[in-house]
Coordinates of all heavy atoms in Angstrom, one line a residue:
P86 N 32.8 -40.6 -3.9 CA 34.2 -40.3 -3.9 C 35.1 -41.2 -4.5 O 34.7 -42.4 -4.5 CB 34.6 -40.0 -2.5 CG 33.2 -39.7 -1.8 CD 32.2 -40.5 -2.6
R87 N 36.1 -40.8 -5.1 CA 37.1 -41.7 -5.8 C 38.3 -42.1 -4.9 O 39.2 -42.9 -5.4 CB 37.6 -41.2 -7.1 CG 36.5 -40.9 -8.2 CD 35.6 -42.2 -8.5 NE 34.7 -42.1 -9.4 CZ 34.7 -42.2 -10.7 NH1 35.8 -42.5 -11.3 NH2 33.7 -41.9 -11.6
T88 N 38.5 -41.4 -3.9 CA 39.6 -41.6 -2.9 C 39.0 -41.7 -1.5 O 37.9 -41.4 -1.3 CB 40.5 -40.4 -3.1 OG1 40.0 -39.2 -2.4 CG2 40.9 -40.1 -4.4
P89 N 39.9 -42.0 -0.6 CA 39.5 -42.0 0.9 C 39.5 -40.6 1.6 O 39.3 -40.7 2.7 CB 40.5 -43.1 1.4 CG 41.7 -42.8 0.7 CD 41.2 -42.6 -0.7
F90 N 39.9 -39.6 1.0 CA 40.1 -38.4 1.6 C 38.7 -37.8 1.9 O 37.9 -37.5 0.9 CB 41.0 -37.4 0.9 CG 42.3 -37.9 0.5 CD1 42.7 -38.4 -0.8 CD2 43.3 -37.9 1.5 CE1 44.0 -39.0 -0.9 CE2 44.5 -38.5 1.4 CZ 45.0 -39.0 0.1
P91 N 38.4 -37.5 3.1 CA 37.1 -36.9 3.5 C 36.7 -35.6 2.8 O 35.5 -35.4 2.5 CB 37.2 -36.7 5.0 CG 38.4 -37.5 5.5 CD 39.2 -37.6 4.4
D92 N 37.7 -34.8 2.6 CA 37.3 -33.5 1.9 C 37.0 -33.7 0.4 O 36.5 -32.6 -0.1 CB 38.5 -32.5 2.1 CG 38.5 -31.9 3.5 OD1 37.8 -32.3 4.3 OD2 39.4 -31.0 3.7
E93 N 37.1 -34.8 -0.2 CA 36.6 -34.9 -1.5 C 35.1 -34.8 -1.6 O 34.5 -34.2 -2.6 CB 37.1 -36.3 -2.0 CG 36.8 -36.4 -3.5 CD 37.0 -37.7 -4.1 OE1 37.7 -38.5 -3.5 OE2 36.5 -38.0 -5.3
S94 N 34.4 -35.2 -0.6 CA 33.0 -34.9 -0.5 C 32.5 -33.6 -0.6 O 31.6 -33.3 -1.2 CB 32.4 -35.6 0.7 OG 32.5 -37.0 0.7
I95 N 33.4 -32.6 0.0 CA 33.1 -31.2 0.0 C 33.1 -30.8 -1.5 O 32.3 -30.0 -2.1 CB 34.1 -30.4 0.8 CG1 33.9 -30.8 2.2 CG2 33.8 -28.9 0.6 CD1 35.0 -30.2 3.2
F96 N 34.2 -31.2 -2.1 CA 34.4 -30.9 -3.6 C 33.3 -31.3 -4.5 O 32.8 -30.6 -5.3 CB 35.8 -31.6 -4.0 CG 36.2 -31.1 -5.3 CD1 36.8 -29.8 -5.4 CD2 36.3 -32.0 -6.4 CE1 37.4 -29.5 -6.7 CE2 36.7 -31.6 -7.6 CZ 37.4 -30.4 -7.7
M149 N 35.1 -23.6 -1.4 CA 36.2 -24.2 -2.3 C 37.5 -23.5 -1.9 O 38.5 -24.2 -2.0 CB 35.7 -23.9 -3.6 CG 34.5 -24.7 -4.1 SD 34.9 -26.4 -4.3 CE 35.9 -26.5 -5.8
D151 N 38.8 -21.9 0.9 CA 39.4 -22.2 2.3 C 38.8 -23.3 2.9 O 39.1 -23.7 4.1 CB 39.3 -20.9 3.2 CG 40.3 -19.8 2.6 OD1 41.4 -20.1 2.2 OD2 39.8 -18.8 2.5
G152 N 37.8 -23.9 2.3 CA 37.0 -25.0 3.1 C 37.5 -26.5 3.0 O 36.8 -27.3 3.4
M153 N 38.6 -26.6 2.2 CA 39.2 -27.9 2.1 C 40.7 -27.9 2.5 O 41.3 -26.9 2.4 CB 39.1 -28.4 0.7 CG 37.7 -28.6 0.2 SD 37.7 -29.2 -1.6 CE 38.5 -27.9 -2.5
D154 N 41.1 -29.1 3.1 CA 42.5 -29.3 3.4 C 43.3 -29.2 2.1 O 43.2 -30.1 1.1 CB 42.7 -30.4 4.1 CG 44.2 -30.8 4.6 OD1 44.6 -30.1 5.7 OD2 44.9 -31.4 3.9
K155 N 44.4 -28.3 2.1 CA 45.2 -28.2 0.7 C 45.9 -29.5 0.4 O 45.9 -29.9 -0.8 CB 46.2 -27.1 0.9 CG 46.9 -26.8 -0.3 CD 47.9 -25.7 -0.2 CE 48.6 -25.4 -1.6 NZ 49.6 -24.2 -1.4
E156 N 46.4 -30.2 1.4 CA 47.1 -31.4 1.1 C 46.1 -32.5 0.7 O 46.5 -33.2 -0.3 CB 47.9 -31.9 2.4 CG 49.1 -31.0 2.8 CD 50.0 -30.6 1.6 OE1 50.4 -31.6 1.0 OE2 50.5 -29.6 1.4
Q157 N 45.0 -32.5 1.3 CA 44.1 -33.6 0.8 C 43.5 -33.3 -0.6 O 43.4 -34.2 -1.4 CB 42.7 -33.5 1.8 CG 42.9 -34.2 3.1 CD 41.6 -34.4 3.7 OE1 40.6 -34.7 3.1 NE2 41.6 -34.2 5.0
F158 N 43.3 -31.9 -1.0 CA 42.9 -31.7 -2.2 C 43.9 -32.0 -3.3 O 43.6 -32.5 -4.4 CB 42.6 -30.0 -2.2 CG 42.3 -29.5 -3.6 CD1 41.1 -29.8 -4.2 CD2 43.3 -29.1 -4.5 CE1 40.8 -29.2 -5.4 CE2 43.0 -28.7 -5.9 CZ 41.7 -28.8 -6.3
L159 N 45.1 -31.6 -3.0 CA 46.3 -31.9 -4.1 C 46.4 -33.4 -4.5 O 46.7 -33.8 -5.3 CB 47.5 -31.4 -3.5 CG 47.6 -29.8 -3.5 CD1 48.9 -29.3 -2.9 CD2 47.5 -29.2 -4.9
K160 N 46.1 -34.2 -3.3 CA 46.1 -35.7 -3.6 C 44.9 -36.1 -4.2 O 45.1 -37.0 -5.2 CB 46.3 -36.4 -2.3 CG 47.6 -36.1 -1.6 CD 47.7 -36.8 -0.2 CE 49.2 -36.4 0.4 NZ 49.3 -36.9 1.8
F161 N 43.8 -35.9 -3.8 CA 42.4 -36.4 -4.4 C 42.2 -35.8 -5.7 O 41.8 -36.5 -6.7 CB 41.2 -36.4 -3.5 CG 40.5 -35.0 -3.4 CD1 39.9 -34.4 -4.5 CD2 40.6 -34.5 -2.0 CE1 39.3 -33.2 -4.2 CE2 39.8 -33.2 -2.0 CZ 39.1 -32.6 -3.0
R162 N 42.7 -34.6 -6.0 CA 42.4 -34.0 -7.3 C 43.2 -34.8 -8.4 O 42.6 -34.9 -9.5 CB 42.9 -32.4 -7.2 CG 42.5 -31.8 -8.5 CD 41.1 -31.5 -8.7 NE 40.6 -31.0 -9.9 CZ 40.5 -31.6 -11.0 NH1 40.7 -32.9 -11.2 NH2 40.1 -31.0 -12.2
M163 N 44.3 -35.3 -8.1 CA 45.1 -36.1 -9.2 C 44.3 -37.3 -9.5 O 44.5 -37.8 -10.7 CB 46.5 -36.3 -8.5 CG 47.3 -35.1 -8.4 SD 47.6 -34.1 -9.9 CE 46.4 -32.8 -9.7
A164 N 43.5 -37.8 -8.6 CA 42.8 -39.0 -9.0 C 41.5 -38.8 -9.8 O 40.9 -39.7 -10.4 CB 42.3 -39.7 -7.7
L165 N 41.3 -37.4 -10.1 CA 39.9 -37.1 -10.9 C 40.4 -36.7 -12.4 O 39.3 -36.4 -13.1 CB 39.3 -35.9 -10.1 CG 39.1 -36.1 -8.7 CD1 38.3 -34.8 -8.2 CD2 38.3 -37.5 -8.3
R291 N 45.1 -20.6 -4.8 CA 45.3 -21.2 -3.4 C 45.7 -22.7 -3.5 O 46.6 -23.1 -2.7 CB 43.8 -21.3 -2.7 CG 43.7 -22.1 -1.5 CD 44.3 -21.4 -0.3 NE 44.0 -22.2 0.9 CZ 44.5 -23.2 1.5 NH1 45.4 -23.8 0.8 NH2 44.2 -23.8 2.6
Y292 N 45.2 -23.4 -4.5 CA 45.6 -24.9 -4.4 C 46.6 -25.4 -5.5 O 47.3 -26.4 -5.5 CB 44.3 -25.8 -4.7 CG 43.4 -25.7 -3.5 CD1 42.2 -25.0 -3.5 CD2 43.7 -26.4 -2.2 CE1 41.3 -24.8 -2.5 CE2 42.8 -26.2 -1.3 CZ 41.7 -25.6 -1.3 OH 40.8 -25.6 -0.1
L293 N 46.7 -24.6 -6.7 CA 47.4 -25.0 -7.8 C 48.5 -24.2 -8.2 O 49.1 -24.3 -9.4 CB 46.4 -25.3 -9.0 CG 45.3 -26.2 -8.7 CD1 44.3 -26.1 -10.0 CD2 45.8 -27.6 -8.5

Side-chain angles (χ1 to χ4, degrees):
R87 300 301 181 94
T88 72
F90 298 105
D92 282 6
E93 188 186 347
S94 292
I95 299 173
F96 191 72
M149 292 287 289
D151 293 318
M153 296 182 296
D154 179 82
K155 184 175 181 179
E156 293 306 313
Q157 284 191 38
F158 174 83
L159 291 174
K160 290 175 180 177
F161 75 68
R162 185 66 185 88
M163 293 303 100
L165 311 181
R291 167 77 169 81
Y292 291 108
L293 302 172

